[in-house]
Amino acid sequence: MKLLTHNLLSSHVPGLRPGGGFPLRIELGRPSELPPEPSPGYEADEEFLRRLHHVLLEVEVLEGSLQCPDSGRRFPISRGVPNLLLSEDEA
Amino acid sequence: MSRVYNKRDQSSHLLTPHGKLPGVSFPQVPVSPGRGGAARRKSEVRGGARSGPAELRKTINMKKLKLKELESCLQQVDTFENPKLLLEQYPTRPHIAACMLYTIHNTFDDIENKTIADLGCGCGMLSIGSAMLGAGFCVGLDIDADALEIFNSNIEDFELTNVNMVQCDICSLSDSMSDTFDTVIMNPPFGTKHNKGIDMIFLKTALQMAKTAVYSLHKTSTRQHIQKKAAEWEVKMEVLAELRFDLPASYKFHKKKSVDIEVDFIRFSAKKVLN
């Protein structure tokens, strides 16, 4: 799962506030190599853009989980595939 | 507007004067349930490194990828080992997938460098074909872990780096992914297995996700209903071709091994008014 894919995903646990369930928190061992916010003029910063490209498109999360920021529900990622299915009692 | 195609048209992959899909052959042979996925793959591909999917992909000049080359690449895509009937699982035939993708790419330029979603991707036939035609990034979505496992190993075999997949239920996405992809390309379930209406749910979701266009397959018998919905949703709808699928018979008492259904290949321009 690339970061670009992660950016599309949100939680569908029932009963969340509108716009809730996003973004899902990625739970991994390693800290990110990027600053939390892009600094002004980032479009011209080659070094930053390279690192951003790398993290967005070249890093794949293979195992881990995504946590819904509102309900706390965890969605597993295995072999690079996030599983957003809710169980029967949840849906 | 729509033509029924036969095998003889296949010789020219140039567009007809009306700008429609070139000849598409009818599948003559019933769809087989699966080619034994992993076992077959290991014995054939590992043994013959020269002809494996990745090698094939690398030798092809992407810019001038011909229809026949695309089709032969797609024939290397492994398909369902034990298709689940209730999910209407069957592989999109390489020939049909190739013709669809070729048109989407050459007539409409909706693949190269674009972000593409494949709803109900199954083993990934359409996603992989899109990647071969130079898609920027493809994401396949499907509910079934077994299908996605096969899709995953297909991606490894083809050595693709710009294809991802997500396991989810399309019916529960609603508008959470609005305007997230340039193009949606899909072969959705038709709603023949206690899941009536699922084709329209897929279509509506696809239209919300796509910024430019949705390419989809629907039973010809539902065409008028879809036209009505398209008008309601204010999206433009163009039937690009009529195809004929033979789907495996699902019940023991069906006399024939497979049943022919007429299918429309449709392009929808993405909407701006769906709620």
Side-chain angles (χ1 to χ4, degrees):
Chain A
M1 183 197 70
K2 298 184 205 288
L3 185 58
L4 196 56
T5 303
H6 157 268
N7 285 357
L8 305 166
L9 307 177
S10 55
S11 159
H12 291 100
V13 173
L16 297 179
R17 59 178 175 90
F22 180 88
L24 295 165
R25 212 179 119 242
I26 305 176
E27 299 183 312
L28 278 182
R30 278 191 5 196
S32 164
E33 293 153 2
L34 288 177
E37 292 275 344
S39 42
Y42 71 86
E43 292 98 331
D45 183 353
E46 278 288 324
E47 179 51 37
F48 172 80
L49 288 176
R50 235 188 294 274
R51 283 192 290 150
L52 181 64
H53 178 265
H54 178 69
V55 166
L56 265 182
L57 290 167
E58 292 169 354
V59 175
E60 299 261 6
V61 176
L62 293 175
E63 301 289 330
S65 61
L66 297 172
Q67 191 182 32
C68 173
D70 294 289
S71 65
R73 209 268 198 199
R74 284 183 163 81
F75 299 94
I77 304 171
S78 69
R79 299 190 54 199
V81 184
N83 180 353
L84 301 182
L85 293 177
L86 296 175
S87 63
E88 289 223 354
D89 5 311
E90 282 175 296
Chain B
M1 169 198 58
S2 36
R3 281 170 56 197
V4 174
Y5 297 96
N6 59 49
K7 234 175 178 127
R8 277 164 258 292
D9 288 342
Q10 222 188 120
S11 55
S12 98
H13 53 260
L14 300 173
L15 295 174
T16 66
H18 302 290
K20 299 292 189 234
L21 188 67
V24 174
S25 69
F26 296 113
Q28 300 299 327
V29 175
V31 175
S32 57
R35 300 175 303 176
R40 181 197 71 84
R41 198 172 41 250
K42 286 195 170 73
S43 61
E44 284 184 28
V45 174
R46 301 297 181 260
R50 288 274 159 100
S51 60
E55 281 62 39
L56 198 53
R57 181 179 70 77
K58 285 167 190 162
T59 57
I60 288 174
N61 180 350
M62 294 253 233
K63 293 249 178 282
K64 299 195 168 158
L65 190 63
K66 293 206 187 100
L67 181 59
K68 281 200 200 311
E69 289 167 334
L70 177 59
E71 185 178 337
S72 57
C73 259
L74 292 181
Q75 277 161 356
Q76 306 267 335
V77 172
D78 285 326
T79 62
F80 303 100
E81 297 184 17
N82 296 301
K84 301 184 172 96
L85 286 175
L86 286 180
L87 295 177
E88 288 188 50
Q89 290 182 337
Y90 64 88
T92 305
R93 286 197 164 268
H95 181 72
I96 288 180
C99 286
M100 284 171 67
L101 295 168
Y102 203 72
T103 297
I104 297 172
H105 173 56
N106 282 297
T107 308
F108 298 100
D109 194 24
D110 276 333
I111 293 185
E112 193 172 350
N113 294 324
K114 303 286 197 301
T115 51
I116 298 184
D118 179 357
L119 272 51
C121 60
C123 302
M125 185 71 70
L126 294 173
S127 300
I128 291 173
S130 300
M132 312 239 47
L133 287 172
F137 183 53
C138 295
V139 179
L141 294 88
D142 202 284
I143 200 171
D144 181 35
D146 296 327
L148 292 177
E149 198 180 311
I150 299 178
F151 188 3
N152 233 341
S153 61
N154 277 324
I155 288 182
E156 278 168 24
D157 286 349
F158 280 79
E159 293 180 12
L160 297 171
T161 53
N162 60 346
V163 183
N164 260 190
M165 63 191 77
V166 176
Q167 183 177 9
C168 62
D169 181 358
I170 303 288
C171 299
S172 71
L173 287 181
S174 69
D175 61 354
S176 64
M177 292 202 198
S178 275
D179 291 333
T180 42
F181 292 89
D182 295 313
T183 308
V184 173
I185 301 177
M186 63 182 185
N187 180 5
F190 289 153
T192 55
K193 303 279 176 291
H194 307 289
N195 53 359
K196 196 167 145 71
I198 197 171
D199 53 343
M200 299 312 287
I201 298 177
F202 266 66
L203 182 56
K204 188 169 186 193
T205 302
L207 287 165
Q208 282 166 332
M209 286 170 74
K211 291 185 213 169
T212 307
V214 172
Y215 295 88
S216 184
L217 297 169
H218 294 270
K219 294 204 297 189
T220 302
S221 59
T222 60
R223 190 187 297 175
Q224 281 185 317
H225 174 68
I226 298 180
Q227 277 164 338
K228 205 174 66 166
K229 279 295 187 191
E232 205 179 291
W233 294 335
E234 295 186 18
V235 293
K236 203 172 81 131
M237 166 178 163
E238 193 184 346
V239 177
L240 301 177
E242 282 179 5
L243 312 170
R244 187 170 290 163
F245 280 17
D246 53 352
L247 298 181
S250 29
Y251 298 107
K252 288 202 183 107
F253 58 80
H254 279 178
K255 292 202 172 70
K256 299 192 273 189
K257 279 222 161 59
S258 66
V259 65
D260 267 9
I261 55 170
E262 290 177 329
V263 174
D264 288 341
F265 172 37
I266 308 178
R267 178 185 200 268
F268 299 87
S269 65
K271 84 336 131 148
K272 284 323 150 197
V273 197
L274 277 183
N275 288 328

